Amino acid sequence: MRLLRRTASIALIAGSLVLTGCSTLDSIEQDRIPDAQADTTHNSAEQRATYADSLKLLADIDIKGRAPKTGYEREKFSKGWKDPDHNGCDARNDILARDLENVKYKSASKPCVVLSGTFHDPYTNTTIKFVRGQKTSTAVQIDHVVALSDAWQKGAQSWDQETRLEFANDPLNLMASDGPTNAAKGDKDAASWLPPNKNFRCEYVSRQTQVKAKYGAWMTKAEHDAIERILKACA
């Protein structure tokens, strides 16, 4: 299948939305406290322009019913995290390095495996001190903004393996997130789940729109209507 792309416009929009286990460590400060740096950029002029562009993309996304989940397996997208940009680091570590602050790596000579960092979670507007370890890594998870199962039911069944692998490891579709909140989201779309932090909902649905436009995935009417309502208020 030939991937449907609107590379120039989506890349431009995505640029404004990117958020500026092998250790023996087995403890973490998992206090989730309100972030002193609350998100106040959701209504900036630049962001409003981004949301307006996402509204244009939304208008061209097909509206259909949800297909059966029959045959879905996570491995049909990607068996574990891959290295799509060929920088020697898998997508999980790339996103941790992108989304965390004060990052410390396993190897100073090869900054790849993230051992610790400070994470300002946009979904909950809390700060999490991340430490890599068997018992602690799940405090910060990598969320597929458009869940793999949701994509499977809205077009991905017909994608080829290369497209599904790209989708599962695409930085546009990946965000670090609070572990329990990511688990609560599951494979829900915007009609069923939105981030608890209301100030981040504009960016969240805008990113979902970009991802679905890039890959040609469709939306249900309820999902489309929910995103349209939020984006119009944001833009």
Side-chain angles (χ1 to χ4, degrees):
M1 169 187 152
R2 184 176 180 180
L3 179 60
L4 299 178
R5 296 178 182 276
R6 296 171 193 158
T7 306
S9 60
I10 293 176
L12 178 62
I13 299 170
S16 66
L17 289 183
V18 173
L19 297 175
T20 39
C22 49
S23 169
T24 58
L25 296 171
D26 58 0
S27 63
I28 186 172
E29 292 182 49
Q30 297 188 34
D31 296 336
R32 290 168 174 80
I33 58 176
D35 194 340
Q37 298 177 336
D39 181 358
T40 59
T41 63
H42 67 286
N43 61 350
S44 69
E46 181 181 3
Q47 290 294 72
R48 288 198 300 271
T50 295
Y51 306 144
D53 288 340
S54 291
L55 265 174
K56 294 177 182 178
L57 293 175
L58 182 68
D60 290 332
I61 292 177
D62 290 340
I63 298 175
K64 300 180 183 180
R66 183 186 297 270
K69 194 175 177 179
T70 306
Y72 168 74
E73 296 175 359
R74 201 251 186 246
E75 290 73 19
K76 289 186 177 180
F77 284 84
S78 177
K79 294 181 179 180
W81 295 108
K82 304 302 180 184
D83 180 16
D85 59 2
H86 307 292
N87 68 346
C89 304
D90 63 37
R92 172 179 167 79
N93 280 293
D94 279 343
I95 300 305
L96 288 174
R98 185 193 72 185
D99 292 355
L100 273 61
E101 298 177 356
N102 304 316
V103 173
K104 294 183 179 179
Y105 297 95
K106 181 181 179 182
S107 171
S109 61
K110 184 181 179 181
C112 182
V113 177
V114 175
L115 288 185
S116 65
T118 301
F119 177 50
H120 303 292
D121 176 42
Y123 285 179
T124 60
N125 195 30
T126 58
T127 297
I128 304 169
K129 295 181 179 179
F130 170 77
V131 178
R132 184 183 179 91
Q134 186 174 0
K135 298 179 180 180
T136 58
S137 288
T138 55
V140 176
Q141 298 179 11
I142 306 301
D143 178 40
H144 286 94
V145 179
V146 174
L148 302 184
S149 174
D150 180 65
W152 181 260
Q153 297 171 78
K154 296 171 184 175
Q157 294 186 41
S158 65
W159 300 349
D160 58 32
Q161 183 60 38
E162 181 180 355
T163 301
R164 289 200 291 262
L165 188 148
E166 180 182 349
F167 179 87
N169 293 274
D170 189 340
L172 179 64
N173 193 33
L174 298 176
M175 290 180 58
S177 67
D178 169 67
T181 304
N182 183 40
K185 170 188 171 181
D187 64 355
K188 300 180 181 71
D189 62 26
S192 304
W193 188 90
L194 292 168
N197 178 19
K198 294 181 180 180
N199 281 347
F200 191 69
R201 290 179 178 178
C202 297
E203 292 192 33
Y204 177 75
V205 299
S206 182
R207 180 80 74 92
Q208 284 193 324
T209 302
Q210 295 166 40
V211 171
K212 292 207 166 183
K214 178 177 180 179
Y215 288 89
W218 68 73
M219 295 182 179
T220 64
K221 187 176 189 306
E223 175 188 8
H224 184 278
D225 290 350
I227 291 177
E228 183 179 46
R229 181 172 62 251
I230 293 171
L231 286 178
K232 282 184 175 180
C234 300

